[in-house]
């Protein structure tokens, strides 16, 4: 039913509160650690703040709607969501495939913690994900991968995983549910950081898990209860407040990214540009088949680290910061974090500034 609506309508609808006369249209946060109990435990939905909270429920219903899932679970960060799912799924003796070119902390967690527990961790580049996953038990794919923006054929990977009894987990952080819905492509589980474009204002950390597998979701919920990796009620409320405009913001961010990718593609100071929406990008064909929008990130290669610094210094609108998805256009030189990229490689996260202003500013800053 939601498929008939555009992104902004989906955003607004996802956070709409029940139309109860006299009640606030915009819900307030419920910052409770404990709740009044009744003698009948089934009478009260909430008892203690680490197990459940009414503000989470509203947020989780919104996230589930956006991902096209029956349910979602909110976490204190994207990493909390991802590591909880991996702890539940990847058992000693299992083979777990993680992206070699994806978010580096996930790779580290797998090789520094899960491998110690007896999980066989294999790192595979996104473009080799299908081949590397042939005999895996659990596959974590990230598409487009951060920061190189390679895209993996999620439908093909899902079919392969299903035929061999493996579980496919897709990190949907860079695409967002407005860019693609991995569950509809056959993935078993979506994990994501909502710290990025979904919250979009660079003022909170949050993550979530969405899936139609009820047993698995129950295990992940238990893992959240035990590990305590929960989202504060205020952050849950703030994220929900932001979700109402997420479709609108993401539309502008994708528009800005596409325009900047085209402008920089032809610029003599730029050695290479990656954006799945560029017709000659190596990922374009698969991206067209599975993505509705190509995302708000582009990857560029300048001459060296100094060229990236001077781009930011000479620009009026760009800020240097890590993370992405915020309303400000930001630049992150990824070699500083140890990603396997050249010194002049920068990930640009497009904000919601006016497209012409941004392009003019960046072109003058590149000289
Ligand atoms: C693709 C991807 N997944 C997960 C994360 C982790 O999210 P968080 O910082 O909210 O823990 C990040 C963070 O940058 C990311 O880029």
């Amino acid at each position: 039913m939601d498929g008939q609506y555009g992104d902004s309508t989906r955003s607004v609808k996802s956070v709409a509160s029940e139309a109860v006369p006299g009640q606030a249209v915009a819900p307030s946060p419920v910052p409770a650690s404990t709740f009044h109990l009744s003698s009948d435990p089934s009478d009260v939905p909430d008892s203690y703040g680490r197990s459940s909270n009414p503000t989470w429920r509203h947020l989780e219903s919104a996230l589930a709607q956006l991902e096209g899932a029956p349910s979602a679970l909110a976490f204190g960060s994207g990493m909390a969501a991802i590591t909880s799912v991996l702890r539940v799924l990847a058992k000693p003796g299992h083979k777990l495939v993680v992206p070699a070119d994806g978010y580096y902390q996930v790779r580290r967690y797998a090789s520094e913690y899960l491998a110690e527990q007896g999980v066989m961790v294999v790192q595979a580049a996104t473009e080799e994900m299908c081949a590397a996953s042939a005999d895996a038990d659990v596959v974590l794919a990230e598409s487009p991968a951060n920061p190189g923006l390679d895209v993996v054929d999620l439908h093909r990977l899902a079919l392969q995983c299903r035929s061999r009894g493996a579980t496919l987990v897709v990190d949907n952080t860079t695409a967002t549910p407005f860019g693609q819905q991995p569950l509809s492509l056959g993935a078993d589980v979506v994990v994501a950081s909502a710290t990025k474009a979904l919250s979009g204002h660079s003022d909170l950390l949050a993550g979530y898990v969405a899936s139609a597998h009820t047993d698995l979701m129950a295990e992940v919920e238990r893992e959240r209860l035990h590990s305590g990796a929960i989202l504060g009620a205020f952050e849950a409320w703030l994220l929900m407040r932001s979700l109402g405009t997420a479709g609108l913001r993401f539309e502008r961010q994708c528009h800005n990214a596409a325009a900047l990718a085209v402008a920089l593609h032809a610029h003599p100071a730029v050695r290479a540009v990656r954006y799945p929406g560029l017709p000659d990008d190596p990922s374009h064909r698969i991206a067209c088949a599975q993505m509705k929008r190509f995302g708000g990130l582009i990857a560029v290669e300048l001459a060296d680290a100094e060229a990236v610094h001077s781009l930011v210094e000479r620009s009026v609108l760009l800020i240097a910061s890590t993370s992405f998805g915020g309303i400000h256009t930001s630049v992150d030189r990824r070699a500083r974090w140890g990603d396997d990229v050249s010194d002049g490689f920068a990930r640009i996260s497009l904000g919601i500034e006016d497209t012409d202003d941004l392009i003019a500013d960046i072109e003058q800053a590149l000289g």
Side-chain angles (χ1 to χ4, degrees):
M1 161 94 168
D2 257 17
Q4 66 186 292
Y5 292 121
D7 291 349
S8 285
T9 313
R10 287 174 65 218
S11 269
V12 171
K13 248 181 107 265
S14 75
V15 293
S17 57
E18 220 185 310
V20 179
Q23 297 256 324
V25 169
S28 305
V30 182
S33 62
T34 191
F35 298 81
H36 287 291
L37 299 175
S38 142
S39 54
D40 177 357
S42 61
D43 266 3
V44 284
D46 303 300
S47 55
Y48 187 57
R50 181 155 38 76
S51 348
S52 69
N53 172 294
T55 313
W56 293 358
R57 265 198 299 288
H58 198 162
L59 169 66
E60 289 169 345
S61 147
L63 292 167
Q65 279 181 53
L66 293 174
E67 288 289 356
S71 70
L73 290 165
F75 281 81
S77 69
M79 280 305 286
I82 295 167
T83 57
S84 294
V85 166
L86 292 182
R87 279 194 302 277
V88 165
L89 287 173
K91 302 293 183 202
H94 278 172
K95 175 172 167 180
L96 165 70
V97 179
V98 294
D101 51 353
Y103 182 52
Y104 72 113
Q105 303 274 23
V106 171
R107 214 164 42 239
R108 273 197 192 160
Y109 179 79
S111 56
E112 289 174 17
Y113 175 77
L114 295 174
E116 287 283 306
Q117 309 296 311
V119 177
M120 195 205 309
V121 176
V122 173
Q123 298 186 10
T126 294
E127 58 179 5
E128 281 149 22
M129 213 34 133
C130 285
S133 303
D135 58 348
D137 298 288
V138 183
V139 178
L140 173 69
E142 195 181 298
S143 187
N146 168 27
L149 304 182
D150 260 337
V151 169
V152 60
D153 185 336
L154 290 175
H155 185 55
R156 188 174 149 223
L157 188 59
L159 286 178
Q160 178 179 294
C161 286
R162 189 158 302 169
S163 72
R164 298 179 192 238
T167 305
L168 175 61
V169 182
V170 175
D171 183 331
N172 206 24
T173 304
T174 56
T176 85
F178 304 109
Q180 76 194 1
Q181 288 188 310
L183 298 179
S184 73
L185 296 164
D188 295 294
V189 187
V190 162
V191 291
S193 168
T195 310
K196 320 295 178 186
L198 290 190
S199 61
H201 292 74
S202 313
D203 51 10
L204 65 87
L205 280 95
Y208 66 92
V209 178
S211 172
H213 294 296
T214 41
D215 290 354
L216 174 66
M217 288 301 272
E219 279 191 69
V220 174
E221 188 170 4
R222 200 163 48 241
E223 179 66 27
R224 179 181 67 181
L225 174 68
H226 293 165
S227 68
I230 59 164
L231 188 63
F234 284 116
E235 274 81 5
W237 169 78
L238 194 55
L239 172 54
M240 205 159 52
R241 187 184 191 279
S242 303
L243 274 187
T245 57
L248 190 60
R249 284 184 276 106
F250 198 62
E251 187 180 338
R252 171 66 72 90
Q253 288 173 316
C254 294
H255 179 75
N256 281 348
L260 187 63
V262 169
L264 297 191
H265 198 247
H267 199 286
V270 180
R271 293 183 171 175
V273 180
R274 287 296 308 266
Y275 183 62
L278 282 176
D280 63 354
D281 188 272
S283 290
H284 187 62
R285 188 186 54 79
I286 306 170
C288 286
Q290 68 190 27
M291 298 183 78
K292 197 176 133 208
R293 298 188 184 281
F294 299 116
L297 294 177
I298 72 169
V300 296
E301 189 139 356
L302 304 187
D304 50 26
E306 191 40 47
V308 180
H309 295 314
S310 85
L311 166 66
V312 176
E313 252 162 43
R314 293 167 66 168
S315 150
V316 178
L317 298 176
L318 291 177
I319 59 169
S321 67
T322 193
S323 196
F324 54 89
I327 55 172
H328 304 93
T329 297
S330 62
V331 178
D332 193 13
R333 198 177 66 75
R334 292 303 303 178
R336 74 186 288 165
W337 305 109
D339 278 342
D340 185 19
V341 290
S342 70
D343 275 351
F345 178 102
R347 185 186 65 205
I348 303 183
S349 168
L350 279 296
I352 61 166
E353 300 90 344
D354 288 287
T355 313
D356 291 347
D357 295 340
L358 209 48
I359 305 284
D361 176 61
I362 293 174
E363 280 184 335
Q364 70 73 28
L366 278 171

